[in-house]
Amino acid sequence: MTMPSLFLSHGGPNIVLEDTPARDYLTGLEAVTGRPSAIVIMSAHFETSGPVVVTDPEPGMIYDFGGFPDELYAMVYPAPGNPQLAERVRTMLGEAGFAAGVAAERGYDHGTWTPMLLAFPAADIPIVQVSIDPSRDAAYHYALGRALAPLRDDDILVIGSGHITHNLRAVFGAMRGGVAPDAAMAGKVAAFTEWFADRFAAGDRAAILDWKAEAPFVVENHPTDEHLMPLFFAYGAGGDAPRAERVHDSKQMGFFAFDSWRFD
């Protein structure tokens, strides 16, 4: 079976506890994709210089967050790694011109374990992790995904886990201040996310990869770029001219967007 590739807005680690539309979407993810034989995932929280592939056969846990409920720090997602698949990923990247490094030991950060815990709670699907490079652009991450697109023909699900918007200053201000964001911020988020929806619908790859120059309200939605880079990875993994479908669209606090996309 040929798998799609996916971009997921993974939220904070508390997404596994709170009753939200985004959580409901992730718990139903298998209905969107079918059951894969393995998963290759790029998390915005795994940053390196150049691509790195995790070969760890038994990844542990990384609790890369603070100030959340205690029960989150006791959660374990014991999905196995797959060193053989990791070596295949590294080889495919090398054949595409990327000298990929190897991480022999690395656990699951919350960009990986929280959405996977909701989507595949049995933790019985092997997972291989691939890093982002926060110093590189959309075209670079798109090319990484493009190199791995053939994996989908072997029942392997390729995922980019980041966030369609990621202005944490605005998010935490609204959360801790207990007040709704102003309508201007909500409008800027809507303009940004709808721009992507329009460009994906048009198949406008050039504009999508040039998002920093083309999209509206870039800085307001992404003060830094790292959480959007997995979107381009997933887009590339969808193949040369994929059909793009926005499979989830919700917001918290009126402006923190949780768009997820399927490419095939």
Side-chain angles (χ1 to χ4, degrees):
M1 179 170 64
T2 298
M3 283 280 143
S5 61
L6 293 177
F7 170 70
L8 304 177
S9 291
H10 60 243
N14 54 323
I15 194 172
V16 303
L17 302 176
E18 298 178 353
D19 185 11
T20 65
R23 181 184 186 277
D24 290 344
Y25 166 70
L26 289 171
T27 59
L29 192 65
E30 189 171 341
V32 175
T33 65
R35 182 173 176 82
S37 62
I39 295 168
V40 173
I41 188 167
M42 172 181 281
S43 166
H45 294 273
F46 180 18
E47 299 183 7
T48 61
S49 177
V52 170
V53 182
V54 178
T55 60
D56 195 336
E58 297 181 351
M61 298 294 288
I62 301 175
Y63 303 105
D64 52 337
F65 47 84
F68 287 92
D70 291 345
E71 63 188 290
L72 289 170
Y73 301 90
M75 289 184 176
V76 176
Y77 189 69
N82 186 324
Q84 293 76 28
L85 176 57
E87 179 58 26
R88 182 183 175 190
V89 168
R90 189 192 67 80
T91 298
M92 292 172 76
L93 292 175
E95 291 172 347
F98 298 99
V102 166
E105 294 184 2
R106 189 183 191 276
Y108 297 131
D109 61 65
H110 85 266
T112 294
W113 71 260
T114 58
M116 294 300 93
L117 182 150
L118 292 170
F120 304 106
D124 57 353
I125 300 173
I127 296 175
V128 170
Q129 300 174 86
V130 180
S131 67
I132 70 164
D133 185 338
S135 71
R136 304 298 296 267
D137 64 4
Y140 166 88
H141 291 89
Y142 172 84
L144 292 179
R146 192 71 188 85
L148 301 183
L151 293 174
R152 297 171 37 241
D153 293 330
D154 292 330
D155 200 28
I156 296 169
L157 180 60
V158 181
I159 297 175
S161 177
H163 229 285
I164 193 67
T165 63
H166 200 252
N167 187 332
L168 292 186
R169 182 175 180 179
V171 171
F172 289 140
M175 288 174 59
R176 294 168 181 167
V179 296
D182 62 41
M185 184 62 193
K188 291 173 182 178
V189 168
F192 183 81
T193 56
E194 291 308 311
W195 181 87
F196 272 98
D198 289 344
R199 293 303 87 212
F200 278 131
D204 191 350
R205 180 170 56 195
I208 291 164
L209 297 184
D210 197 25
W211 70 285
K212 292 194 78 171
E214 298 283 345
F217 306 114
V218 165
V219 173
E220 291 87 345
N221 284 282
H222 286 277
T224 57
D225 297 350
E226 77 288 338
H227 268 73
L228 201 60
M229 293 305 104
L231 171 64
F232 306 112
F233 173 74
Y235 181 37
D240 185 51
R243 180 182 69 92
E245 179 185 1
R246 184 158 56 174
V247 287
H248 179 73
D249 172 12
S250 67
K251 294 180 176 64
Q252 292 180 10
M253 298 171 290
F255 78 103
F256 191 36
F258 279 79
D259 291 15
S260 290
W261 285 87
R262 170 183 174 139
F263 303 101
D264 53 10

